Amino acid sequence: MTPQIIEAAAARLAGHVRQTPLLSSPFLDRIAGRRVLVKAECLQHTGSFKARGGWAAVSALDAAARARGVIAYSSGNHAQGVARAAASFGVPAVIVMPSDAPEPKIANTRALGAEVVLYDRATGDRDAIGAEIAQARGLTLVKPFDDAQVIAGQGTVGLELAAQAAAEGVTQADVLVPCGGGGLTAGVALALEARAPGLQVRPAEPEGFDDTARSLAAGRIVRNEARAGSLCDAILTPSPGEITFPIMARLCGPGLVVTEDEALRAMAAAFAHLRIVLEPGGAVALAAALFHAPAMTGNAVIAVASGGNVGADTFRMALDRAGDTP
Amino acid sequence: MTPQIIEAAAARLAGHVRQTPLLSSPFLDRIAGRRVLVKAECLQHTGSFKARGGWAAVSALDAAARARGVIAYSSGNHAQGVARAAASFGVPAVIVMPSDAPEPKIANTRALGAEVVLYDRATGDRDAIGAEIAQARGLTLVKPFDDAQVIAGQGTVGLELAAQAAAEGVTQADVLVPCGGGGLTAGVALALEARAPGLQVRPAEPEGFDDTARSLAAGRIVRNEARAGSLCDAILTPSPGEITFPIMARLCGPGLVVTEDEALRAMAAAFAHLRIVLEPGGAVALAAALFHAPAMTGNAVIAVASGGNVGADTFRMALDRAGDTP
């Protein structure tokens, strides 16, 4: 993949996705012991960066394929991104979702006009289910991360970030990115390689689902043992992708791994000091920035806050920790 | 007051306050029955639009007066706006706050470097307390709303809104603004008169504190009976100001009055569909947009979400209503 495919995606996305703000607070700087800049992708349409990859993939299809429709498998954010793009183009979308996905994500995907097919995350094989429906109906499968156009769409976060960080005077920093299959991480890394080489991408993951950190350390793709059982539902993937991993291996620094409690405390800090709503999986990079400060160097750190689709019950768990962080 | 004073404030504020995004969600459009655009001032530095007025006032002082320092009385948001500006200029700030102000607002004001003096909202006279300290220490009083520079600073919200609404193709709409003393409402109305005359400002207030709606209806300033006792602490003022009221009387449409429950439901809707954190007083305009649809005409409505400084306990009350709105 080259930076040109990201530039091309950015041109197709213009006017259809938001340029999200780069937020900051002196209170977060105090917690982290350095300047903290937060790229608030929770404010993106559909509540996560996935609106970018969904739009990039659907807009890249030839007209005939697009008219037949698209299918995606997703725990909820990619679902909404693809559903929104398909609805905007007026074409059908089928979304295969795990039955334990947060209720708002399922409801919102349906409300965006998609047909939702549920499966059991522990026993089902979403790839097989998706492939079967796709073949039966002539739908094009939009993979959640291991697809060049999807990676390019997510990479537009990196293009914005390069310009926004420069405007803040930040040209040397770790850029922490919540990492599931690596679409966002790889896309941002490619964009920053071209536009801001002093910004070093590092994946952030939840404990027990640190496949990318371990894969980077091992120099080859390794898989998670568990397939479910974390609040960070948005970024629970079996392993990094065949396309995303080589990009991450070439460009990313060591991965960071945070606890669920740290993710919830980062949500509480974002609530109190940035006034944004994050979901647990979207808060892991901020959690690393705030609570793993010794793992980083330099005067500034950038955290991508990748999504904010969270139910009230989970958000209450974060609010319960609102007093735990100075 | 003329639009030029707002333009001059905008020039002084450039680089020191954020241009906040204009957000939207198809789910909010569905609730309101028309297009809803939300100006997210909760994402402003210090968590409310008050960072604008504070900066405008402190930056407008002559150097000698500024060096002696400033004083303000505030339930919390103006406090933080003035404290931040004073700290940035390296001058002292004393803030007189009601003792029942939300704890995070008091703590954050102190953390921004200001000296906080508490008084009892039901029995104390904050104007008298403020005047006495100001005289004793040679401080300049920065009033919360009835000051031309403060109104000009808040009016920069209107300059941004005019451009952002035009970019969305919206040139005719009601613009609902949370209204305490009227600084934001009057400032935005002046800016829109000059830049987007098809956008009509209307103040939004909580039940029991609808002094501006009643004043506009009566054609003269009338006061609230109560002085405390609403969750909407940010916008509980005795009456509109001597400077702000004539501006509002000339430019604003009829006021809208919402219940506390509606404000909490608007907070829940903003949580679920915009992923932003609003405080009750900051949510009253969105509440009117969503739940008082028959009081408006046209295909679109703009709501200013003026602040997001809210404690976890109050936010839980909003989350409890997350299922109450479709």
Side-chain angles (χ1 to χ4, degrees):
Chain A
M1 283 186 62
T2 65
Q4 285 72 37
I5 188 174
I6 305 178
E7 314 270 3
R12 295 200 306 282
L13 266 58
H16 302 290
V17 306
R18 290 197 182 106
Q19 166 155 341
T20 52
L22 190 64
L23 303 176
S24 61
S25 159
F27 298 94
L28 297 186
D29 298 352
R30 208 168 295 178
I31 298 169
R34 56 170 60 87
R35 196 162 166 209
V36 180
L37 299 171
V38 178
K39 178 68 169 164
E41 277 295 294
C42 55
L43 302 174
Q44 187 53 262
H45 293 292
T46 75
S48 90
F49 71 97
K50 294 282 191 174
R52 299 177 187 260
W55 193 278
V58 174
S59 64
L61 293 176
D62 69 64
R66 189 162 58 222
R68 286 193 298 275
V70 293
I71 183 168
Y73 34 96
S74 163
S75 67
N77 284 339
H78 179 56
Q80 292 177 71
V82 171
R84 175 176 179 268
S88 295
F89 280 99
V91 303
V94 175
I95 312 288
V96 183
M97 300 182 75
S99 50
D100 65 345
E103 188 277 327
K105 291 183 176 177
I106 297 175
N108 286 351
T109 303
R110 287 197 172 117
L112 288 167
E115 177 187 342
V116 172
V117 176
L118 298 175
Y119 78 101
D120 186 306
R121 196 199 290 263
T123 61
D125 180 342
R126 69 180 187 180
D127 300 70
I129 295 167
E132 184 179 346
I133 300 174
Q135 187 165 16
R137 305 199 200 173
L139 305 175
T140 300
L141 179 66
V142 181
K143 292 184 181 176
F145 52 85
D146 225 18
D147 174 284
Q149 289 298 347
V150 170
I151 296 168
Q154 323 305 29
T156 61
V157 171
L159 298 182
E160 293 177 15
L161 201 46
Q164 292 171 314
E168 295 286 337
V170 173
T171 55
Q172 298 282 331
D174 281 352
V175 177
L176 313 186
V177 182
C179 186
L184 179 62
T185 308
V188 171
L190 283 170
L192 294 181
E193 180 190 26
R195 292 281 185 93
L199 301 182
Q200 159 92 78
V201 170
R202 299 177 62 182
E205 295 169 295
E207 227 174 28
F209 298 87
D210 58 345
D211 47 301
T212 297
R214 291 186 293 116
S215 297
L216 289 173
R220 62 181 173 80
I221 294 176
V222 295
R223 298 174 70 85
N224 291 318
E225 290 179 18
R227 295 184 60 180
S230 167
L231 281 177
C232 301
D233 61 279
I235 54 175
L236 306 187
T237 42
S239 67
E242 299 289 339
I243 303 177
T244 58
F245 179 67
I247 297 168
M248 293 193 285
R250 182 169 70 81
L251 295 174
C252 292
L256 295 151
V257 183
V258 307
T259 65
E260 278 195 1
D261 187 67
E262 287 170 334
L264 290 167
R265 285 164 58 208
M267 290 167 65
F271 161 81
H273 301 304
L274 300 177
R275 296 91 188 173
I276 56 175
V277 174
L278 300 185
E279 60 184 287
V284 294
L286 180 59
L290 296 179
F291 309 126
H292 291 236
M296 280 151 264
T297 58
N299 297 326
V301 61
I302 299 171
V304 177
S306 53
N309 290 316
V310 58
D313 288 345
T314 302
F315 204 74
R316 281 191 194 90
M317 296 174 65
L319 292 178
D320 289 344
R321 286 153 175 88
D324 294 357
T325 295
Chain B
M1 282 187 60
T2 64
Q4 285 71 37
I5 187 175
I6 305 178
E7 313 269 1
R12 295 201 306 283
L13 267 58
H16 301 292
V17 306
R18 292 200 181 104
Q19 166 155 340
T20 52
L22 190 64
L23 301 177
S24 61
S25 158
F27 298 95
L28 296 185
D29 298 353
R30 208 168 297 177
I31 298 169
R34 56 169 60 88
R35 196 163 166 208
V36 180
L37 298 171
V38 179
K39 178 69 169 162
E41 278 295 294
C42 55
L43 301 175
Q44 188 53 264
H45 293 293
T46 75
S48 90
F49 71 96
K50 294 281 191 176
R52 298 177 187 261
W55 193 279
V58 174
S59 64
L61 294 176
D62 71 64
R66 190 161 57 221
R68 286 193 297 275
V70 293
I71 183 168
Y73 34 95
S74 161
S75 66
N77 285 339
H78 180 56
Q80 292 177 70
V82 171
R84 175 176 178 267
S88 295
F89 281 98
V91 304
V94 175
I95 312 288
V96 183
M97 300 181 75
S99 51
D100 66 345
E103 188 277 327
K105 292 182 176 177
I106 298 174
N108 286 350
T109 304
R110 288 196 170 118
L112 288 167
E115 177 186 342
V116 172
V117 176
L118 297 175
Y119 77 101
D120 186 306
R121 196 198 290 261
T123 60
D125 180 341
R126 69 181 186 178
D127 300 69
I129 295 167
E132 185 178 344
I133 300 175
Q135 188 164 16
R137 305 198 200 173
L139 306 175
T140 300
L141 179 66
V142 181
K143 291 183 182 177
F145 52 84
D146 227 17
D147 174 282
Q149 289 298 348
V150 170
I151 296 168
Q154 323 306 28
T156 61
V157 171
L159 298 183
E160 294 177 14
L161 201 46
Q164 291 171 315
E168 294 287 337
V170 173
T171 54
Q172 298 283 332
D174 281 354
V175 177
L176 314 185
V177 182
C179 186
L184 178 62
T185 307
V188 171
L190 283 170
L192 294 182
E193 180 191 26
R195 293 281 186 92
L199 301 182
Q200 160 92 79
V201 170
R202 298 177 63 181
E205 293 169 296
E207 227 174 29
F209 297 87
D210 57 345
D211 48 299
T212 297
R214 289 186 295 114
S215 297
L216 289 173
R220 61 182 175 81
I221 293 176
V222 295
R223 299 174 68 86
N224 292 318
E225 290 180 18
R227 294 184 61 180
S230 168
L231 281 177
C232 302
D233 61 279
I235 54 176
L236 306 187
T237 42
S239 68
E242 299 289 338
I243 303 177
T244 60
F245 179 69
I247 297 168
M248 294 192 285
R250 182 169 69 82
L251 294 174
C252 291
L256 294 150
V257 184
V258 308
T259 65
E260 279 196 1
D261 188 66
E262 288 170 333
L264 290 167
R265 286 164 57 208
M267 291 167 65
F271 160 81
H273 301 304
L274 300 178
R275 295 90 189 174
I276 56 175
V277 174
L278 299 184
E279 60 185 289
V284 295
L286 179 60
L290 295 179
F291 309 125
H292 291 236
M296 281 151 265
T297 58
N299 298 325
V301 60
I302 299 170
V304 177
S306 53
N309 290 317
V310 57
D313 288 346
T314 302
F315 204 75
R316 281 191 194 90
M317 296 174 64
L319 291 178
D320 290 344
R321 286 153 175 88
D324 293 357
T325 296

